[in-house]
Amino acid sequence: CAGWPFLPKDQLIEQLYREIAALKEEVVNFKAEHVRQLYALVAGTLRYSPVLEKLLAGAALLQAEKKLSLHLAKVLVYDLLFGKGLKCGGRWKALARRHRARLEAELARLKVRQKVIRNEDLLAPAQAGGPGASQVPRYVRINTLKTCVDDVIDFFKREGYSYLGKAASVEELRALSGKKFLLDLHLPELLVFPPQTDFHDNLLYTSGHIILQDKASCLPAFLLSPAAGSHVIDACAAPGNKTSHLAAILKNKGQIFAFDMDAKRLATMNTMLMRAGVTGFQLAQQDFLMVDPGDPKYSKVAYILLDPSCSGSGMVNRVPTAEAAPSAERLQALAGFQRKVLSHALSFPALQRLVYSTCSLHREENEDVVGAVLQERGSAFRLVHAFPCWPCRGLAAFPGAESCLRASAADTLTHGFFVAVLERRGDGAAASSSLPAAADNTSRHSEGTEPGAAPKKRKRKKQRVKE
Ligand SMILES: C[S@@+](CC[C@H](N)C(=O)[O-])C[C@H]1O[C@@H](n2cnc3c(N)ncnc32)[C@H](O)[C@@H]1O
């Protein structure tokens, strides 16, 4: 389309509608400006689809413009009334402009009928992105490989934002509005801005000084907390936000082995890691299940971050599709894979600590996976009661499952997320004293639990992880 060079031909739009569900938040991390614009345009059109259908019917647009397809009409009207105000050009812009007054009048009538003032209020909760979606703040992780917290705070102050200091409660984050920002109350290198703040064109983002990453997705690397110099596996790594977080915690000292099956996502990841200044990593396009734990290359791997494919049902800004409610068969297949990959990860001989995470809300992919694998592994590993101050805990799927962490838009103002921290039992267990302050905070209050066993108090050992 003239003026919309990124918009494919009309017949592809329908296919895009179907495929958009696969585009998660990382899509916005792609360098290509057009991919971001396309995502925003199609995702916005989908959100407003039921409203757009009413407007099109009310204005009789398709009857007046016989050559206009329903899908393209929705995109045009979305951009005209709810988007950026028709960035396209050529005949489509002329067409939309011809009908502008009628469409605006229809929109006003619809608002009166539904007794609402804001466009957003025309959306049913599911189209608004699920409960709480519009409340999730913009989280900004400071990439300590390139900069520091104070410098980034100063930068945003110079950009006209007011810094309100460290938040004391989730309520404070919820109340954030306008050009104000806070330091997060749980995570030390995380800034919090009001929802919908967009920094994708900000210099700090394009230069890799900040990473736009949801707070819940910062938990896995933070809780794994590998000591500088360690060998770490990121088993399902692309597009790499957690890998770059791990590298920052390692201060680029040590070795990260990162695996993913998807070549395109790995290519994006490579670009992102370079931009973030990550060194000391090896990326492999490989099925992690085929990685040999007995390979001497991995003999020093003491930490594994496992963030496998999941239903994604916790993603609050994802486009509502059937995938938001996966079928029982799909859940079973996902859970089967997750159990297999977790069990495989626990078979690395020098492994001391593992973090398992998903962005799923389903117990089948979360507590049930962890419970089943712990049971299968006998007493070799225990579940750590990580981050005791975290307000939202695991569902009571087995005794001690509350040691896991959960996150949600309603409770933690984040995407829906699940995290479990597992540690090897016995003398070889990861010594808390070898962990940086962040994880030390976690394990100081930790108690081991396993399915079927009562939580036990753990003695802190003054033992270093052998590396
Ligand atoms: C939830 S995403 C990981 C997100 C990533 N940890 C991050 O924070 O950017 C899951 C990834 O697992 C990859 N994957 C799925 N099965 C895999 C397997 N058997 N081995 C390695 N990677 C796999 C997918 O390609 C996908 O990129």
Side-chain angles (χ1 to χ4, degrees), residues 235-242 260-261 265 286-288 307 309 337:
C236 298
N241 274 342
K242 297 180 188 77
D260 205 284
M261 303 256 279
R265 286 162 73 93
Q286 198 173 344
D287 179 349
F288 176 64
D307 185 40
S309 297
F337 163 70

Side-chain angles (χ1 to χ4, degrees), residues 140-160:
V140 170
R141 177 167 66 77
I142 293 160
N143 178 12
T144 52
L145 291 175
K146 287 206 155 178
T147 183
C148 63
V149 175
D150 289 346
D151 285 358
V152 174
I153 289 175
D154 285 345
F155 175 90
F156 282 116
K157 281 195 206 161
R158 285 197 300 277
E159 294 234 313

Side-chain angles (χ1 to χ4, degrees), residues 76 91 113 121 141 149-150 162 188 194 202 303 311 315 357 361 372 378 400-401 407 410 421 437:
L76 277 172
R91 65 191 172 111
R113 271 205 304 275
D121 297 332
R141 177 167 66 77
V149 175
D150 289 346
S162 307
N202 190 285
Y303 301 90
S311 63
M315 302 290 289
S357 61
L361 302 173
V421 182

